[in-house]
């Protein structure tokens, strides 16, 4: 069977992260400039290859000062490390959904990650394009990738949690 490459539809996709602030609330951010592709030899996507890149300077959290801090040297150091990259090592069915494993590179450090993938289905849009939808969720420890800036709180704890929750809504076009 011939392989099929599905390209990301960026106008119907989003990539978000969530992290605890002051250990009492969660701040949500997004990467607004990213690309991805999915290549599959099977109609059910079993064993598909997934790749992804995002521009670190496209971080948006709804606060310009925080965004500038995040793209600066304390966090992503976007001038030196302009991209976050992901390359899959496996994409396996788990019931109706999938488990995606691969190598995530942030700030020059590559670590394996495991993401849960909910398959939304395949549909044709009004212009005759075939689309496939996926919801990805997972979490990483930011310090594993050299994102170690923090501040101790007088009341105990730290300003920014180590755990970062990842969430993506991805629509691909055949």
């Amino acid at each position: 069977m011939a392989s099929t490459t599905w390209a990301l539809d960026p106008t119907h996709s989003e990539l978000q992260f969530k992290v605890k602030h002051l250990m009492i609330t969660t701040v949500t951010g997004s990467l607004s400039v990213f690309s991805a592709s999915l290549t599959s030899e099977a109609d059910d996507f079993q064993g598909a290859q997934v790749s992804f890149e995002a521009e670190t300077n496209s971080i948006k959290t709804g606060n310009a000062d925080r965004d500038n801090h995040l793209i600066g040297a304390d966090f992503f150091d976007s001038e030196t490390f302009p991209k976050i990259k992901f390359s899959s090592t496996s994409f396996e069915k788990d019931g109706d959904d999938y488990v995606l494993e691969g190598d995530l590179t942030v700030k020059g450090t590559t670590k394996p990650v495991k993401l849960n993938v909910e398959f939304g289905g395949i549909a044709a849009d009004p212009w005759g394009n075939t689309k496939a939808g996926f919801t990805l969720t997972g979490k990483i420890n930011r310090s594993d990738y050299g994102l170690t800036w923090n501040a101790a709180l007088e009341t105990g704890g730290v300003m920014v949690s180590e755990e970062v929750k990842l969430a993506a809504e991805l629509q691909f076009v055949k």
Side-chain angles (χ1 to χ4, degrees):
M1 177 180 279
S3 63
T4 301
T5 298
W6 297 70
L8 184 74
D9 177 350
T11 61
H12 296 104
S13 300
E14 60 185 39
L15 177 62
Q16 294 183 320
F17 60 90
K18 294 180 178 285
V19 64
K20 285 279 190 189
H21 180 258
L22 299 178
M23 312 319 289
I24 59 172
T25 58
T26 299
V27 171
T28 301
S30 65
L31 291 158
S32 59
V33 179
F34 62 98
S35 62
S37 69
L38 183 150
T39 302
S40 177
E41 296 199 16
D43 290 339
D44 69 354
F45 300 103
Q46 177 74 19
Q49 294 293 309
V50 180
S51 64
F52 158 86
E53 279 191 358
E55 294 183 17
T56 55
N57 67 359
S58 74
I59 289 175
K60 304 284 184 257
T61 64
N63 179 284
D65 290 339
R66 180 174 45 225
D67 296 348
N68 288 331
H69 190 202
L70 287 171
I71 66 173
D74 282 344
F75 283 95
F76 287 97
D77 193 5
S78 292
E79 283 190 30
T80 306
F81 303 100
K83 302 227 185 244
I84 294 171
K85 297 180 181 183
F86 174 84
S87 180
S88 67
T89 55
S90 72
F91 192 77
E92 301 299 324
K93 280 193 81 64
D94 182 17
D96 291 335
D97 297 318
Y98 299 88
V99 174
L100 174 61
E101 295 185 45
D103 296 321
L104 179 66
T105 302
V106 179
K107 203 173 178 181
T109 300
T110 303
K111 299 276 185 184
V113 296
K114 185 177 183 178
L115 303 168
N116 297 311
V117 182
E118 180 182 325
F119 179 50
I122 295 176
D125 70 15
W127 300 274
N129 298 304
T130 301
K131 304 274 189 99
F134 301 90
T135 300
L136 281 71
T137 57
K139 54 188 165 183
I140 61 169
N141 183 317
R142 66 186 180 87
S143 64
D144 288 347
Y145 297 92
L147 303 171
T148 57
W149 182 91
N150 222 331
L153 302 175
E154 288 180 23
T155 56
V158 291
M159 186 176 296
V160 183
S161 170
E162 293 295 308
E163 181 181 90
V164 178
K165 294 180 181 177
L166 307 173
E169 293 292 334
L170 303 174
Q171 191 173 112
F172 290 89
V173 62
K174 192 173 193 179

